[in-house]
Amino acid sequence: MIRSALIKRPPLFLSRRQHSSVTTAGSALDAYKIQASVPRLSLHLLPGEQESAEDPLVRYGYVRQVSAGSYHLLPLAHMVQSNIADLARRHMVSVGGVEVSLSSLSSPALWERTGRAANTELFKIKHEDGTSGESESARVQYILAPTHEEEITNLVATNIAASRRKLPLRLFQITRKYRNEKRPRGGLLRGREFLMKDMYSFDVTQDDAHRTYDEVANAYRAFFESIGVPFVVAEADSGSIGGSLSHEYHYLSPVGEDNVVTCHTCKYTANVEKALAFPPEEEDGAFMGEAAVQYFLSDDKTTLVAAYYPPDREFSPLHLLAELPEDTINAEAESTGIEVAEEFATQAKADDDEGLFTRRLIRVMDARLSRETNLPRLPFHANKGTTTTMVDVPLVMAQTGDLCPSCDDGKTPLAVAKAVEIGHTFYLGTKYSAPLNATARDPVSGSLVPIEMGCYGIGISRLLPAIASITADADGLHWPVSIAPYHAIVVSKDAEAATTIVKELRAAGVNAVWDDREDVSFGAAMRDARALGFPVTLIAGKQYEKSGLVELQPRDLSVQQLKEKRGDAAFQSSVKDLPAKIKELLKL
Ligand SMILES: [Zn+2]
């Protein structure tokens, strides 16, 4: 039984002769023969009825949710995602990228060495036999990789002898990554499983690494331009690395979770976490009420920093860090409440009675505060001799109306907008190469030095919902031609006509699909063609029967505009001229 079914299964690739013998009649298996040369919409797992979901990808049958934070991509979504991945691949290859595919099962020992094993968003797979060990890494068998700095640095360090290492090296991959998001939200935008393009660069000198960074950043711009959806490049926080070589690529969109500031005068663009926020004149030093405060302690607990700011604003720890000498405080402390100040006082008193006289208090005042501002009481008596006060510091996250930190006149107001982060370029220096002992020979000194690295990510599976939500309108999805699952959909009840048109188009490089669904009315098929977001709908109906002319309906035009254009020669074509006409229309 099974055996005969296998034998009867149609071959994956049809010979030319089989192609020409395809008909729409016959057994149910013929549908698959036709799919091979004429894609049919009925095989794309579209739901029978439109879903009521708010997410357009769910509503129009592109994706299906499996559980919180995980999704199945149905055929049309997978085609869009593959197109995005192919574009990304092309641009990475254009800067000398070599593709690899690393295992998702990463070694916990490597994460211990770089100090990232404790991250609570890592998915960890424990030993099945319950092996217990002294350390976390002994209990954990694998980490499901959310990113591959550790593994790829280790690969370069151990796989190629340092003397033979030919740098620069630019390795990239497009693979599934995992992140144990505690409260997954925003659909595919922030799932627990995602497809990412990640590139890692390896250079011997810092100069070379910076040049690599610029080249990859240019390739990123070219990639996002080729998609065709407007984007911004924002200066981003470079974390503990320092320096200015960290940029984020964003779509400005209300569905985003990031906030990006832009200045319309000097074009300064930055993540709100990075942008210093100077108050407009009327707010400068004008706040009179009771200030809010956050406390930070140095690792050795001898310095307390109290940061004061208006309570209706969001405090920015990064802005505070930027003002203080390096390593003054531990900015990653979980608590910044009054108990931190109490701990400081207790420690001081425990040392000796004079403890408070030998310890430092640094008070940092946001630029909006005035001399009249009430400051919350400290839980100890501050000693003037060891207290430093810094005033006029921008300590809060920027809001629309704050002044641009980059404009010369210092008077241009910033605009803050919601954004979806879709890419990130990052100069890493020796952050990973040093602990993982990835070295190369310095051409000048001749000695082995840690490799200079960079990492560069593109959220491939995030681009799918981001672009969908930005380009969708009241009629449904609206894909840019660059990534559309098909360029054109043919709506026709005439199987022979549809088959001829689709074959003609595909032979000329226009990717077309036939809406062959028998139980769907013409009107519903037309609505679906728009809702599914194909760049152009082709109709072979009554007019085609009479005159052999196919009607073209570009998705860019509204239903009203299409009504007005009906009968316009520019939107009709013979089958023979159709490929050229569509290529011109879609700029293929
Ligand atoms: Zn500016």
Side-chain angles (χ1 to χ4, degrees):
M1 190 73 183
I2 290 169
R3 202 187 143 99
S4 68
L6 278 176
I7 290 166
K8 275 187 186 163
R9 195 175 58 180
L12 209 48
F13 300 101
L14 299 176
S15 70
R16 270 200 173 280
R17 205 161 50 82
Q18 281 168 307
H19 263 268
S20 57
S21 68
V22 162
T23 66
T24 56
S27 87
L29 281 180
D30 286 343
Y32 292 93
K33 288 189 198 160
I34 295 169
Q35 167 71 12
S37 60
V38 179
R40 295 158 65 121
L41 196 64
S42 64
L43 300 179
H44 289 68
L45 303 188
L46 294 177
E49 283 167 26
Q50 212 175 76
E51 304 266 347
S52 60
E54 199 177 315
D55 184 337
L57 289 175
V58 177
R59 199 184 321 148
Y60 300 116
Y62 270 68
V63 305
R64 174 154 290 196
Q65 186 168 20
V66 186
S67 59
S70 71
Y71 290 82
H72 291 319
L73 296 195
L74 304 185
L76 291 173
H78 181 251
M79 293 170 92
V80 176
Q81 184 174 275
S82 298
N83 291 342
I84 297 170
D86 286 347
L87 269 182
R89 177 177 290 114
R90 212 177 303 155
H91 286 280
M92 292 307 102
V93 169
S94 79
V95 285
V98 177
E99 190 165 2
V100 292
S101 180
L102 271 52
S103 171
S104 292
L105 302 174
S106 183
S107 162
L110 292 178
W111 294 75
E112 294 283 346
R113 281 166 71 184
T114 59
R116 298 209 294 178
N119 189 315
T120 54
E121 289 199 340
L122 292 175
F123 267 116
K124 292 171 180 175
I125 299 176
K126 304 272 164 93
H127 282 283
E128 210 169 297
D129 59 5
T131 302
S132 63
E134 293 290 307
S135 66
E136 170 76 0
S137 61
R139 283 189 291 277
V140 177
Q141 188 174 16
Y142 299 115
I143 285 171
L144 270 184
T147 176
H148 272 118
E149 283 85 359
E150 278 81 0
E151 288 289 352
I152 205 148
T153 308
N154 186 56
L155 180 71
V156 169
T158 56
N159 209 52
I160 323 167
S163 57
R164 296 228 189 110
R165 220 161 271 153
K166 204 166 151 38
L167 301 185
L169 191 56
R170 296 168 187 178
L171 301 174
F172 79 97
Q173 59 177 350
I174 300 174
T175 54
R176 289 192 189 208
K177 312 285 194 294
Y178 302 86
R179 174 181 51 212
N180 196 359
E181 191 79 43
K182 294 301 174 223
R183 281 184 300 276
R185 59 204 175 274
L188 269 179
L189 280 173
R190 209 169 167 81
R192 286 184 167 140
E193 181 180 30
F194 50 100
L195 189 69
M196 189 160 94
K197 189 290 301 169
D198 42 334
M199 182 187 254
Y200 305 89
S201 64
F202 303 84
D203 286 280
V204 182
T205 67
Q206 209 174 66
D207 280 354
D208 284 354
H210 288 185
R211 210 168 304 140
T212 293
Y213 182 90
D214 290 340
E215 282 181 28
V216 178
N218 285 339
Y220 264 51
R221 284 196 181 82
F223 163 73
F224 287 116
E225 275 162 15
S226 72
I227 286 182
V229 175
F231 64 98
V232 298
V233 184
E235 288 182 16
D237 173 46
S238 42
S240 54
I241 307 291
S244 59
L245 290 181
S246 174
H247 291 90
E248 293 168 354
Y249 301 74
H250 288 272
Y251 286 148
L252 298 183
S253 161
V255 304
E257 291 195 331
D258 276 87
N259 287 291
V260 167
V261 305
T262 49
C263 169
H264 66 86
T265 304
C266 71
K267 305 298 171 204
Y268 172 74
T269 307
N271 190 305
V272 75
E273 290 175 351
K274 164 97 177 177
L276 292 178
F278 294 96
E281 204 174 330
E282 65 276 14
E283 285 178 29
D284 200 352
F287 182 77
M288 300 293 206
E290 168 109 359
V293 61
Q294 296 202 23
Y295 298 103
F296 299 85
L297 210 46
S298 62
D299 279 334
D300 64 5
K301 304 194 192 301
T302 61
T303 302
L304 179 72
V305 173
Y308 300 97
Y309 57 98
D312 60 340
R313 297 296 297 261
E314 192 181 349
F315 173 71
S316 166
L318 287 174
H319 294 2
L320 174 64
L321 276 184
E323 289 295 325
L324 298 170
E326 210 177 327
D327 295 331
T328 306
I329 52 170
N330 174 8
E332 274 157 26
E334 273 178 26
S335 163
T336 57
I338 187 78
E339 61 279 7
V340 177
E342 282 162 355
E343 186 188 352
F344 172 75
T346 309
Q347 286 277 340
K349 282 176 191 145
D351 279 1
D352 60 74
D353 289 345
E354 304 290 294
L356 276 174
F357 292 91
T358 59
R359 284 157 195 257
R360 279 198 307 162
L361 169 66
I362 303 175
R363 304 191 310 163
V364 188
M365 309 286 176
D366 180 70
R368 289 151 191 82
L369 302 189
S370 69
R371 286 176 178 279
E372 264 65 51
T373 305
N374 290 321
L375 301 181
R377 281 177 65 87
L378 287 163
F380 57 87
H381 186 72
N383 170 26
K384 276 199 177 134
T386 54
T387 299
T388 314
T389 301
M390 300 165 71
V391 295
D392 220 15
V393 176
L395 272 187
V396 296
M397 300 275 193
Q399 278 183 0
T400 295
D402 285 340
L403 300 181
C404 175
S406 178
C407 269
D408 289 339
D409 66 0
K411 284 180 185 159
T412 314
L414 291 169
V416 181
K418 287 270 174 217
V420 185
E421 186 188 348
I422 44 180
H424 198 156
T425 50
F426 211 115
Y427 164 63
L428 292 171
T430 60
K431 181 176 178 173
Y432 295 95
S433 56
L436 295 170
N437 202 24
T439 56
R441 201 163 293 285
D442 184 283
V444 180
S445 70
S447 57
L448 287 176
V449 292
I451 295 174
E452 288 281 335
M453 288 177 60
C455 69
Y456 318 85
I458 291 175
I460 303 289
S461 56
R462 180 182 283 187
L463 276 163
L464 172 75
I467 295 169
S469 67
I470 288 165
T471 56
D473 57 22
D475 293 344
L477 297 164
H478 183 176
W479 297 111
V481 174
S482 58
I483 59 164
Y486 292 102
H487 297 129
I489 182 164
V490 177
V491 175
S492 178
K493 295 294 175 194
D494 179 344
E496 207 180 308
T499 305
T500 308
I501 293 168
V502 169
K503 280 186 178 171
E504 195 77 27
L505 290 174
R506 293 175 71 81
V510 177
N511 193 7
V513 62
W514 170 34
D515 185 352
D516 63 320
R517 296 172 301 165
E518 285 170 0
D519 54 346
V520 175
S521 71
F522 176 77
M526 290 302 294
R527 272 196 303 279
D528 284 354
R530 274 185 86 74
L532 292 170
F534 304 113
V536 63
T537 302
L538 304 172
I539 305 145
K542 288 196 188 90
Q543 196 196 20
Y544 178 80
E545 263 176 50
K546 269 189 279 176
S547 60
L549 289 178
V550 178
E551 189 188 337
L552 290 82
Q553 294 200 351
R555 182 64 176 83
D556 283 344
L557 299 186
S558 69
V559 173
Q560 184 57 35
Q561 285 170 317
L562 289 171
K563 262 185 199 149
E564 288 159 12
K565 303 272 184 205
R566 186 150 295 163
D568 190 326
F571 296 95
Q572 294 182 341
S573 172
S574 66
V575 174
K576 185 170 131 294
D577 296 335
L578 200 52
K581 193 133 194 169
I582 291 178
K583 283 182 170 179
E584 191 193 331
L585 183 73
L586 303 183
K587 301 187 179 73
L588 285 176

